[in-house]
Amino acid sequence: MTLRLLTFLTTAATALLAANVSMAQPGRAAPNFDGWTVDCGNTGACFASSFTRSQSVWVDLRIVRDWQAEAQPLIRLTTNTELPQDGTLRFDVDGATIEELPIEQLRETQASVTPPAGFRPLGGEGFWYPAGPAAVTLLKAMQKGKVLTVHLPAGTGTDPTSVPVSLQGLKASLLWLDNRQDRTGTVAAIVSPGTEPAKDAPHALPILSADQLPPEVAAIWSANRLCSAIDPAIFASLNAVRVPLAESNSLYIVPCGAPTPYNSPYVSILSGKDGAARQIHVARMSDKGPIASDLIYNARWVPADEQLVSYFKGSGVGECGLWNRWVWNGTGLVLLEEATRKTCDGTEPDLSNWSSTWPLKNATD
């Protein structure tokens, strides 16, 4: 049985890898464009972010866009410094002021901005930049400029602070977002919009509560490994999704039990239009060959490629553990890549240097 599974995996992985040469493939680390990091969540909402520190003050600037055709790019600014009630935020591009916004006004407008499902900002005080024409104006100026300077007002016991954010990689990161969400050439593209109509980006649908699971899926989920022993608030924060598939089928990727400090376990369940459901197991490699597993750790769904990524962290740093990537082939999840690192030494995580255990080449201890 082990030999048959290995033969199946070899044939399927080789064919799928060959077929995906022209596709944008999710790598082992999020792409970085001169300090701008890009990534997408399980639903297909994507973002570009720049984390900048100026002495003891940092700002995290994110451009976020959901998958819906009508979704507009949102700008989120978060800082670790305490801001006063009556101060003003100022945004300059290459020395020219683009906008001055009272902190009080920003706090009042938060309720009018609907963030993508599952979006979780960094800690600190954060604001959504006013959506619509104001955000478009700032983004256009940022794409043409070299440095965005964020002027923060003085808070309790602090002095006014100016934090320069490099814009060197911004345009490339926004182009990545357009391509990832299949918006390039459409009227909805952020960079060089075209004439094609806007359309939904590849996506999955968020599941914020176990109550949203259909009965046949809930029955499998609740009977498996104490999956249902999870606080509803924690469930809502773990980016569970329903993936619409062909012929009215759906793939559910849902958390299974409470997360540990480093890892959150998930299971995948396939539901058909006939009301039947079954759990999907995934292949992993062991010292003795391939094995089947029902748990997927820190599951990340990639809607554009119909791929699922798992990253089991052996430590809080994440420099050791197990990394897997599977692709949906119409009936199950086929293993494309696996890599591991057994040494937990506190170094900076670099998955590109991990030992490849699938495909079976260049494997090292």
Side-chain angles (χ1 to χ4, degrees):
M1 183 173 181
T2 299
L3 180 59
R4 290 179 60 193
L5 179 55
L6 180 59
T7 301
F8 167 75
L9 286 171
T10 303
T11 303
T14 301
L16 286 164
L17 283 171
N20 287 341
V21 168
S22 62
M23 295 173 60
Q25 296 211 15
R28 296 184 186 179
N32 187 294
F33 300 96
D34 293 315
W36 284 84
T37 300
V38 292
D39 205 354
C40 297
N42 285 357
T43 63
C46 299
F47 69 87
S49 69
S50 177
F51 184 91
T52 306
R53 182 180 293 277
S54 179
Q55 297 180 354
S56 62
V57 177
W58 58 256
V59 297
D60 177 71
L61 185 67
R62 300 196 173 202
I63 293 92
V64 186
R65 193 166 198 179
D66 216 342
W67 57 265
Q68 296 90 347
E70 68 277 8
Q72 298 297 312
L74 303 174
I75 302 174
R76 170 87 183 189
L77 176 76
T78 306
T79 180
N80 66 329
T81 189
E82 182 181 354
L83 300 177
Q85 291 290 331
D86 57 354
T88 298
L89 276 173
R90 191 171 92 241
F91 298 84
D92 295 352
V93 174
D94 296 343
T97 297
I98 304 300
E99 184 79 270
E100 290 187 71
L101 298 168
I103 299 294
E104 182 180 6
Q105 176 186 330
L106 282 171
R107 290 193 174 103
E108 290 174 351
T109 62
Q110 299 311 296
S112 66
V113 177
T114 303
F119 177 83
R120 296 192 300 274
L122 295 180
E125 184 161 22
F127 301 101
W128 291 104
Y129 197 84
V136 171
T137 298
L138 180 59
L139 279 177
K140 287 182 177 179
M142 289 169 63
Q143 290 183 64
K144 295 177 181 178
K146 296 180 179 179
V147 177
L148 168 73
T149 304
V150 182
H151 299 275
L152 302 170
T156 304
T158 63
D159 296 322
T161 306
S162 297
V163 181
V165 179
S166 173
L167 301 175
Q168 185 68 31
L170 173 64
K171 193 168 185 177
S173 67
L174 295 178
L175 182 60
W176 186 94
L177 259 64
D178 280 343
N179 289 337
R180 201 69 189 161
Q181 294 191 319
D182 202 18
R183 300 187 192 275
T184 300
T186 73
V187 295
I190 303 175
V191 180
S192 302
T195 58
E196 293 295 320
K199 59 182 178 180
D200 290 345
H203 64 277
L205 303 175
I207 300 176
L208 301 179
S209 167
D211 295 337
Q212 295 179 258
L213 299 174
E216 66 274 14
V217 173
I220 294 176
W221 177 72
S222 61
N224 189 327
R225 287 181 176 262
L226 301 178
C227 281
S228 57
I230 180 172
D231 184 274
I234 295 177
F235 184 106
S237 70
L238 291 178
N239 294 318
V241 292
R242 176 177 73 85
V243 181
L245 301 172
E247 299 180 356
S248 300
N249 295 326
S250 292
L251 180 68
Y252 289 82
I253 301 169
V254 288
C256 182
T260 66
Y262 314 142
N263 300 294
S264 299
Y266 293 73
V267 292
S268 58
I269 301 171
L270 178 65
S271 175
K273 61 182 180 180
D274 57 358
R278 62 182 175 89
Q279 187 167 344
I280 299 294
H281 289 70
V282 294
R284 289 198 177 104
M285 300 303 294
S286 72
D287 294 338
K288 297 182 180 179
I291 58 174
S293 175
D294 59 343
L295 289 184
I296 303 156
Y297 287 92
N298 302 323
R300 294 291 307 277
W301 177 252
V302 186
D305 301 325
E306 292 197 325
Q307 294 184 7
L308 183 64
V309 176
S310 172
Y311 181 12
F312 179 85
K313 297 181 179 181
S315 74
V317 177
E319 84 285 16
C320 55
L322 180 67
W323 181 91
N324 297 85
R325 182 162 66 97
W326 302 272
V327 67
W328 179 256
N329 70 348
T331 58
L333 292 162
V334 176
L335 181 65
L336 289 182
E337 283 188 279
E338 180 177 285
T340 185
R341 188 173 191 260
K342 299 178 181 179
T343 304
C344 301
D345 53 10
T347 57
E348 187 73 17
D350 185 0
L351 276 71
S352 65
N353 292 329
W354 285 25
S355 298
S356 176
T357 51
W358 184 263
L360 298 176
K361 60 181 181 180
N362 301 327
T364 59
D365 190 2

